[in-house]
Amino acid sequence: MELKSLSERKRRTFLRYLDRLGKAKDEDDGEAESGETKRKPTNWMEEAEKRLELLKLRVEKDGGDDDDKDDDDWDDFGSSDEDLSDIEINEKQSKMRIELVILGSLVLSTSVVGNAYYQKKQFYPSVVHITKSNPSMMVMYIQALVIVVLLGKLMKKIFFGQLRAAEVEHLIDRSWYAITETCLAFTVFREDFSTKFVALFTVLLFLKAFHWLVEDRVDYMERSPIISWLFHFRVTSLLLVLGVLDWHFIQVAYYATLTQGASVQLVFGFEYAILLTMVAMVTVKYALHTYDINRENPWEDKAVFLLYAELAIGFIKVILYMMFMLIMIRVYTLPLFAVRPMYLAMRSFKKALSDVILSRRAIRNLNTLYPDATAEDLANTDNVCIICREEMVTGAKKLPCNHIFHATCLRSWFQRQQTCPTCRLEVLRAPGNPIGNPAPPAAANVRPPQQQAAPSPPPPQAANAPQAVPVQPPLPPFIPPHHPFNFPFPMPNIPQQAGANDVRYVPDANGQRPVMPPPFSLPPFMPFVVPPPRPPANLGALSDAELRAMEGQERRHLEARIRVLRDIQTLLDAAVLQMNQYGILVARLEHESNNNTETVRSTGEEAPVASGQQAEEQQPGVSATSSPVENEVLTPEEETNLSDQERLRRRRVQRFMNGGEQN
Amino acid sequence: MAGSALRRLMAEYKQLTLNPPEGIVAGPINEENFFDWECLIVGPDGTCFEGGVFPAKLTFPTDYPLSPPKMQFTCEMFHPNIYSDGRVCISILHAPGDDPLGYESSAERWSPVQSVEKILLSVISMLAEPNDESGANIDAAKMWRDNRAEFDRIATRIVRKSLNIPL
Ligand SMILES: [Zn+2]
Ligand SMILES: [Zn+2]
């Protein structure tokens, strides 16, 4: 077998180091002086020589059929002999202690039972005698506990064989938490406290331990190339037994709650329901692993199946915990003992959810953003996927940096990070493609002009709009040409009016131009020069990635719109300011005209306007609106002083004011 | 077919054993479980760790090579970048974003391009040139900076201990 020859080579390399070690020792022997140090090197040398001989023998034999012994040698290496013997002694001692406890409890319980039977001579009276006496009950409890432990050991032997160190460690960790939580649960159910109660909790803990172990064992399947039929037999039978037991206890709890009302059985029913979800998850994992192992070629979708299974079962668990919490709070009190596991369940559900989302995103990006590697691409590289170190034949993807990987390998990597594994280019943040690969932003795919080869003027694409705006300096940066229809009021009128008023007023001011702020240098707006907006694309037809890319662009558009609205607000403010100034101006003009009515001359420009004005003035509607205002401003004496011309002029101003307000 | 992590580990094992780089031997402790490795690292020549043969163990996650393995020396070590319990703290063993000491740029972080061989070679160069900026063992980092003679003395002791030579 290939592995054998590999371990043979490993041994050979190891041997080289042993030689080196031996050399170092020889050098040292020359230096060693004191008698004390002399004694130890001999020990060490013997040991090293023993090992060397052993290994040389094996290497020469070229067989290596006694693997176990080799592994022992490996394990020993690096740890000194004293430590080893300590561990051995400890193990022996603890084994002896356990045997002593078992024997002691057996002796005690038989003596108690024997004593009772000796006194009472009959079965029932002796039972009563034992239950009435506290010390004898204590002995019986200890005996029961010992039997449970022995049963556990037996089941462990049957279903697991030897436990691995990691499994034992994990088991001990989880047991401590479980025991603490059980003690917390006892505080809630102080009234129900009885032998049966304790026994039920012991059984629960006992079964929990087996659930944890089978979970670890199934996870181990991924780590080992050698899965024996015994392994399959053990796992399937254990899963079956645990599932049946969980179901049985759920039923018991259910009927007990139905017939006797809420009791501690609520907790048991709930705990076994949680354990049942665990059995379900382990079964799914086991089935997936088994299927994977027995396939001829790699199974790429296994990770996805696992993700969804975890998500579904995590969801069920969270629901169960929430229901349990609610019921417990209504019937008893907040079940503190369930808070930690509930938190853990929620956390793992959240993780499963984010994993699913990340995985979906990774798949989407792979499908939309990166091209498949062509045969030519593959031929140009060494054709090995750096993630799995296997050859790429089909299903390879090329990233913008020209690195090529298996699509499935990339998918699982993108679930963790969105970088190229080789050069760490941030692939998702580089949609612009500095290296010039054909990975256009997804939204662009929707629009046909993208594919045109001729370098025509850039089509008004959503992608171009935000960049195009700041490029044109005279154009204010607040008009995305894409959305002229978004102006809710006749935007262009504001500047035109302001400009017109300005022109008309300068001569009026008669050289003394009123101190006005420059009329808000308004650029020529051309909202209708740009083509009308295209009808919105059919969103339903877009893929998720396209939608996402579009979403990003829509966001930019929205920001542009908000900017436009802000600028409009500024414009409006400016317009209001101008209006106020006109008002002030009008008041001042009136004042001026009162002071020197006769000196005011009409300029040449004004005359035609005035005559035109006169004609308008004949219309009753206009004069009717303007005259009351005029009357308000002017006192009767003043009015008599006004020349006709001046009156006309005033009316014009007045009318203008009204017109401005109407706008 | 075995999972992709297992297949990659087997490939790396094969590669490492057929073409072992100088100063490194590594492989699974038990070939029934490819996710727990042991390795021997030889102290680089011309440094205070010269000649030492240091055993360490590598623990791989199930999603290897997407996540980095953990490395822990199983012998006594005294080095600025090795915790007192033997855990090795170098940037190649951390995924970007997971930054216990905050000194490392993401360029030298874990990615599937790395391998057991590259890790062990980095560890050898770490033995040769400790990075006293990111101190996993503050005492060692201080001593490396301020009292090199004492550091060398301790290193020599550790080398001898690793070779089972009495002090
Ligand atoms: Zn691959
Ligand atoms: Zn790259």
Side-chain angles (χ1 to χ4, degrees):
Chain A
M1 194 181 155
E2 200 182 25
L3 270 182
K4 274 255 153 59
S5 71
L6 278 183
S7 33
E8 213 46 68
R9 276 170 176 274
K10 189 172 90 170
R11 234 169 266 144
R12 241 181 277 237
T13 326
F14 174 56
L15 204 67
R16 260 188 22 230
Y17 286 115
L18 269 185
D19 274 339
R20 185 174 189 145
L21 229 138
K23 261 186 234 139
K25 199 236 115 218
D26 289 342
E27 284 166 21
D28 192 65
D29 268 356
E31 293 165 19
E33 290 152 343
S34 77
E36 204 196 345
T37 45
K38 272 250 159 78
R39 196 185 55 80
K40 265 199 161 178
T42 356
N43 279 349
W44 175 80
M45 198 170 72
E46 279 168 14
E47 175 64 21
E49 270 161 13
K50 222 169 70 192
R51 283 184 188 192
L52 271 168
E53 283 311 305
L54 209 72
L55 281 159
K56 274 179 184 152
L57 261 177
R58 294 236 174 87
V59 174
E60 281 157 20
K61 227 169 72 184
D62 196 37
D65 28 15
D66 33 13
D67 268 338
D68 290 345
K69 273 188 190 167
D70 290 347
D71 287 336
D72 283 349
D73 283 329
W74 271 91
D75 290 343
D76 292 355
F77 191 77
S79 60
S80 67
D81 287 357
E82 294 94 87
D83 293 344
L84 255 186
S85 47
D86 276 358
I87 292 168
E88 266 171 20
I89 289 166
N90 274 344
E91 259 174 25
K92 265 186 191 154
Q93 277 179 345
S94 64
K95 227 175 202 165
M96 270 177 66
R97 225 176 287 144
I98 288 171
E99 274 159 14
L100 216 68
V101 168
I102 293 169
L103 205 71
S105 75
L106 198 68
V107 168
L108 272 175
S109 54
T110 37
S111 66
V112 164
V113 172
N115 178 39
Y117 196 72
Y118 179 75
Q119 281 182 7
K120 302 289 170 181
K121 307 286 182 207
Q122 271 174 326
F123 180 69
Y124 281 108
S126 32
V127 169
V128 171
H129 177 79
I130 291 172
T131 48
K132 283 264 165 75
S133 138
N134 272 341
S136 10
M137 272 321 278
M138 192 56 125
V139 169
M140 297 316 284
Y141 287 149
I142 291 172
Q143 179 61 54
L145 197 69
V146 167
I147 287 174
V148 167
V149 170
L150 284 179
L151 192 69
K153 281 194 176 280
L154 183 71
M155 275 182 79
K156 188 207 85 178
K157 259 275 171 311
I158 293 172
F159 288 118
F160 297 109
Q162 192 67 38
L163 288 184
R164 290 178 302 121
E167 285 172 340
V168 174
E169 204 176 301
H170 206 177
L171 181 68
I172 291 172
D173 278 358
R174 290 171 114 173
S175 301
W176 277 118
Y177 278 115
I179 288 170
T180 324
E181 278 153 15
T182 308
C183 291
L184 267 174
F186 282 162
T187 60
V188 178
F189 297 99
R190 280 180 300 268
E191 294 93 56
D192 301 328
F193 200 84
S194 67
T195 317
K196 192 190 164 203
F197 181 74
V198 176
L200 281 174
F201 264 108
T202 315
V203 171
L204 177 65
L205 267 179
F206 186 77
L207 286 177
K208 265 188 186 173
F210 277 88
H211 283 85
W212 300 329
L213 284 175
V214 76
E215 193 181 33
D216 279 353
R217 213 17 96 84
V218 168
D219 284 342
Y220 178 70
M221 283 179 86
E222 276 190 295
R223 299 168 171 263
S224 179
I226 309 152
I227 302 290
S228 62
W229 66 268
L230 183 64
F231 181 96
H232 288 290
F233 173 74
R234 278 173 164 165
V235 169
T236 41
S237 55
L238 183 59
L239 280 175
L240 203 69
V241 168
L242 289 180
V244 167
L245 282 177
D246 289 343
W247 184 246
H248 166 75
F249 281 113
I250 291 173
Q251 297 251 307
V252 168
Y254 180 69
Y255 287 116
T257 312
L258 272 194
T259 50
Q260 297 150 31
S263 70
V264 73
Q265 282 293 343
L266 262 179
V267 180
F268 287 117
F270 160 76
E271 290 274 11
Y272 283 111
I274 291 288
L275 286 181
L276 197 60
T277 63
M278 202 161 154
V279 170
M281 187 65 221
V282 174
T283 309
V284 169
K285 271 191 190 166
Y286 171 73
L288 290 176
H289 288 334
T290 310
Y291 179 64
D292 188 19
I293 287 169
N294 290 320
R295 275 172 63 103
E296 285 299 305
N297 35 20
W299 185 27
E300 311 297 1
D301 289 334
K302 180 181 160 190
V304 178
F305 277 110
L306 268 178
L307 272 182
Y308 279 100
E310 240 152 55
L311 184 73
I313 289 183
F315 181 70
I316 294 173
K317 259 190 179 174
V318 168
I319 295 287
L320 275 174
Y321 271 109
M322 296 223 266
M323 273 166 52
F324 176 67
M325 278 281 173
L326 282 178
I327 294 171
M328 281 300 283
I329 289 171
R330 292 203 93 161
V331 180
Y332 295 94
T333 168
L334 181 75
L336 279 177
F337 59 91
V339 168
R340 192 191 71 97
M342 179 173 163
Y343 166 73
L344 290 182
M346 283 179 156
R347 202 177 59 178
S348 65
F349 174 66
K350 199 181 138 211
K351 192 178 169 291
L353 190 66
S354 77
D355 278 352
V356 166
I357 290 170
L358 286 175
S359 155
R360 287 184 62 91
R361 193 178 70 183
I363 292 172
R364 223 166 30 220
N365 288 341
L366 276 179
N367 289 341
T368 55
L369 297 185
Y370 313 118
D372 287 330
T374 59
E376 193 188 343
D377 290 333
L378 288 175
N380 287 341
T381 58
D382 60 355
N383 203 11
V384 169
C385 168
I386 201 75
I387 299 178
C388 62
R389 302 286 152 100
E390 278 167 36
E391 229 174 71
M392 291 179 285
V393 184
T394 52
K397 286 278 183 183
K398 189 159 90 171
L399 294 185
C401 50
N402 284 338
H403 291 122
I404 303 174
F405 309 91
H406 283 125
T408 42
C409 294
L410 264 187
R411 183 194 64 204
S412 36
W413 172 246
F414 280 165
Q415 241 170 280
R416 287 161 182 80
Q417 280 172 44
Q418 283 74 50
T419 57
C420 167
T422 307
C423 65
R424 294 173 201 274
L425 175 81
E426 299 242 353
V427 282
L428 279 196
R429 288 191 205 156
N433 262 306
I435 313 193
N437 253 287
N445 295 342
V446 190
R447 300 163 194 274
Q450 176 73 18
Q451 305 306 327
Q452 285 171 2
S456 53
Q461 268 185 34
N464 291 345
Q467 290 106 354
V469 168
V471 174
Q472 304 169 352
L475 204 71
F478 43 74
I479 317 274
H482 213 58
H483 301 284
F485 50 92
N486 262 325
F487 301 121
F489 32 73
M491 184 73 170
N493 288 346
I494 299 173
Q496 275 166 16
Q497 208 175 51
N501 292 346
D502 206 23
V503 168
R504 279 194 199 172
Y505 256 86
V506 170
D508 273 1
N510 234 353
Q512 347 169 330
R513 190 181 171 143
V515 198
M516 266 213 281
F520 210 76
S521 65
L522 289 160
F525 283 20
M526 32 177 205
F528 296 111
V529 177
V530 290
R534 64 186 72 245
N538 180 14
L539 294 184
L542 302 185
S543 80
D544 285 355
E546 288 165 345
L547 276 177
R548 188 166 289 265
M550 201 166 99
E551 197 178 57
Q553 285 174 346
E554 290 300 331
R555 188 188 161 80
R556 269 184 281 158
H557 293 167
L558 201 68
E559 282 162 3
R561 268 174 237 166
I562 289 171
R563 255 182 287 139
V564 169
L565 287 178
R566 290 220 178 105
D567 288 324
I568 288 169
Q569 194 180 16
T570 324
L571 273 181
L572 282 178
D573 289 346
V576 167
L577 200 76
Q578 276 184 327
M579 283 306 166
N580 288 343
Q581 300 230 349
Y582 294 144
I584 295 167
L585 197 70
V586 168
R588 231 166 86 183
L589 279 173
E590 271 163 9
H591 197 67
E592 267 174 337
S593 58
N594 286 343
N595 288 347
N596 41 9
T597 21
E598 298 309 318
T599 50
V600 173
R601 280 208 209 108
S602 66
T603 60
E605 281 169 82
E606 201 178 3
V609 180
S611 61
Q613 210 68 32
Q614 218 164 4
E616 269 180 288
E617 213 59 25
Q618 309 307 318
Q619 291 170 2
V622 176
S623 56
T625 50
S626 54
S627 49
V629 183
E630 199 174 22
N631 289 343
E632 270 172 38
V633 181
L634 303 175
T635 57
E637 315 99 275
E638 278 172 325
E639 196 168 15
T640 51
N641 292 336
L642 288 174
S643 68
D644 279 351
Q645 215 176 21
E646 181 59 22
R647 203 172 289 140
L648 273 177
R649 219 175 65 95
R650 272 204 206 175
R651 281 200 185 129
R652 213 199 66 214
V653 169
Q654 196 65 48
R655 201 182 66 90
F656 185 70
M657 287 293 292
N658 288 343
E661 274 159 33
Q662 275 156 22
N663 271 327
Chain B
M1 192 104 183
S4 60
L6 183 57
R7 272 181 287 137
R8 165 146 171 177
L9 281 171
M10 288 167 96
E12 282 198 51
Y13 176 41
K14 196 173 161 187
Q15 173 67 23
L16 266 174
T17 318
L18 295 181
N19 302 306
E22 190 50 41
I24 292 173
V25 54
I29 299 171
N30 175 345
E31 276 147 11
E32 282 178 15
N33 178 4
F34 263 81
F35 286 68
D36 289 317
W37 284 32
E38 65 198 338
C39 46
L40 293 178
I41 291 174
V42 175
D45 290 347
T47 70
C48 52
F49 293 104
E50 178 173 356
V53 180
F54 306 109
K57 66 179 193 229
L58 280 164
T59 315
F60 295 90
T62 2
D63 61 354
Y64 182 81
L66 304 174
S67 301
K70 290 186 176 66
M71 185 171 174
Q72 185 171 23
F73 279 99
T74 50
C75 62
E76 187 193 338
M77 281 307 255
F78 186 74
H79 188 280
N81 308 113
I82 302 175
Y83 288 100
S84 47
D85 63 355
R87 277 179 300 130
V88 178
C89 180
I90 49 174
S91 56
I92 195 177
L93 289 177
H94 295 295
D98 146 40
D99 198 349
L101 296 163
Y103 288 109
E104 302 145 353
S105 75
S106 84
E108 44 210 13
R109 294 312 186 82
W110 176 258
S111 109
V113 170
Q114 314 292 0
S115 61
V116 175
E117 185 178 334
K118 285 188 187 161
I119 292 172
L120 296 182
L121 289 175
S122 312
V123 168
I124 287 180
S125 77
M126 173 202 83
L127 289 178
E129 294 161 19
N131 171 11
D132 58 353
E133 295 257 298
S134 68
N137 184 339
I138 306 287
D139 293 339
K142 255 191 195 153
M143 196 179 285
W144 169 260
R145 256 201 314 268
D146 306 332
N147 190 354
R148 192 64 63 86
E150 176 70 8
F151 187 91
D152 288 351
R153 208 184 55 71
I154 293 179
T156 313
R157 184 177 64 75
I158 284 168
V159 167
R160 294 174 74 93
K161 200 172 173 189
S162 82
L163 294 173
N164 263 358
I165 299 169
L167 306 171

